[in-house]
Amino acid sequence: MRKTLMNVTKSALVLATVISLGVGSIHAADIEVIEGEKLEKIEQDNKQKEKVLVIDVRDDDAYEKGHVKHAINIEADDLEESLPRLENYKKMQVVVIAATKEDSAASAQLLLDNGFEKVQNADGVDEFDYQLVTFESILPDELMDEIGDDDVIFIDGREEKDFNKSAIKGAHHVDSEKPETALEFLPEDKDTEIITYCYSGNRSGVIAEYLEEQGYTNVKNSLDGTKENKDIPLENK
């Protein structure tokens, strides 16, 4: 009798393990892997990048040393509490990236479990030769929080005719084809916080990248421009 009970118990444990592994396998299979080459093409394409949110879940130090072009940074340990900030992106294609695919898999799964519909896990920065940048991409709420701070310099990369109609208070206009003109009004302090924005984050991204190349270390580009973020307070001129 004892032997029979032991066999039944062992069988039940085996069955439970198989079921558990089966469910886990199905769950993990939901995460699509996007190859580095494909992600790189998206990030270098101004139109395609607007359809994708890339989240780099490495720590701040790793992100600041270099990341894919338009990736925002939310560390893996902070991702769950940051989900409310990402609510507007639930129906978009969202790509999670880290040093390796294995490092970002849990974060991708977390997004899937919380209602994000099109989640992909990318080849990591140690697995593919991405064209890395060092300027930071920020979400709309971060831009809004900085408006009104006198210590922050805002650069408007939209067309001059649009800037002449309205802009963030105190912002300077810079043509993305002549980013060097920004140096005329920027201070010598290379740690000065600079935020660039434009219509869709593309022109301003060019300016942000140029300024980082010139040694400015605290440059942030608004991932969503005035086209996507209607709440940006543009003051009429």
Side-chain angles (χ1 to χ4, degrees):
M1 181 68 176
R2 179 180 296 177
K3 186 175 182 180
T4 301
L5 287 173
M6 288 178 64
N7 288 338
V8 170
T9 301
K10 183 182 293 185
S11 299
L13 287 171
V14 170
L15 179 60
T17 302
V18 170
I19 292 174
S20 175
L21 289 173
V23 171
S25 299
I26 292 171
H27 208 38
D30 291 339
I31 305 176
E32 179 183 352
V33 173
I34 180 171
E35 295 179 350
E37 183 177 3
K38 186 173 182 179
L39 176 58
E40 180 68 11
K41 286 181 179 179
I42 291 173
E43 291 296 84
Q44 300 302 327
D45 186 316
N46 287 343
K47 291 185 178 180
Q48 288 300 314
K49 76 88 180 170
E50 293 179 20
K51 303 174 184 178
V52 181
L53 175 67
V54 182
I55 305 175
D56 189 322
V57 296
R58 295 175 299 158
D59 62 42
D60 290 343
D61 289 341
Y63 176 83
E64 289 172 2
K65 289 176 182 176
H67 51 270
V68 297
K69 192 170 183 180
H70 297 289
I72 65 168
N73 182 217
I74 302 177
E75 292 189 29
D77 290 343
D78 299 329
L79 185 58
E80 187 167 9
E81 67 180 32
S82 298
L83 292 177
R85 301 178 57 212
L86 303 173
E87 190 69 25
N88 292 336
Y89 300 91
K90 278 192 169 182
K91 295 185 180 296
M92 279 184 64
Q93 179 182 351
V94 179
V95 176
V96 184
I97 189 169
T100 67
K101 290 187 292 291
E102 288 74 18
D103 292 341
S104 52
S107 295
Q109 188 65 61
L110 175 66
L111 294 176
L112 274 177
D113 292 344
N114 282 276
F116 288 80
E117 298 178 4
K118 304 172 186 176
V119 180
Q120 294 176 308
N121 189 28
D123 284 334
V125 295
D126 291 348
E127 298 172 313
F128 182 80
D129 187 21
Y130 293 101
Q131 297 181 41
L132 303 180
V133 300
T134 54
F135 69 86
E136 181 180 356
S137 288
I138 60 174
L139 291 174
D141 60 337
E142 295 174 84
L143 170 67
M144 302 296 283
D145 286 345
E146 298 285 7
I147 292 176
D149 188 335
D150 294 335
D151 293 328
V152 179
I153 295 177
F154 288 90
I155 294 179
D156 188 322
R158 296 175 299 157
E159 292 185 16
E160 190 170 11
K161 63 181 179 63
D162 294 324
F163 174 79
N164 288 337
K165 292 177 182 177
S166 62
I168 290 176
K169 184 178 180 180
H172 300 269
H173 179 261
V174 173
D175 186 336
S176 62
E177 294 184 358
K178 300 176 182 178
E180 67 277 5
T181 58
L183 302 178
E184 298 173 5
F185 59 80
L186 289 178
E188 294 183 2
D189 182 2
K190 296 298 179 75
D191 292 329
T192 300
E193 184 174 358
I194 302 167
I195 296 181
T196 59
Y197 72 95
C198 65
Y199 185 62
S200 60
N202 294 321
R203 294 169 185 249
S204 53
V206 172
I207 298 167
E209 187 169 8
Y210 173 81
L211 294 178
E212 284 279 352
E213 291 171 353
Q214 300 307 305
Y216 286 90
T217 60
N218 193 10
V219 183
K220 303 174 182 178
N221 181 48
S222 180
L223 187 63
D224 288 348
T226 57
K227 179 178 74 171
E228 298 95 350
N229 185 4
K230 304 300 183 184
D231 294 328
I232 295 177
L234 302 179
E235 295 193 359
N236 293 328
K237 294 188 174 183

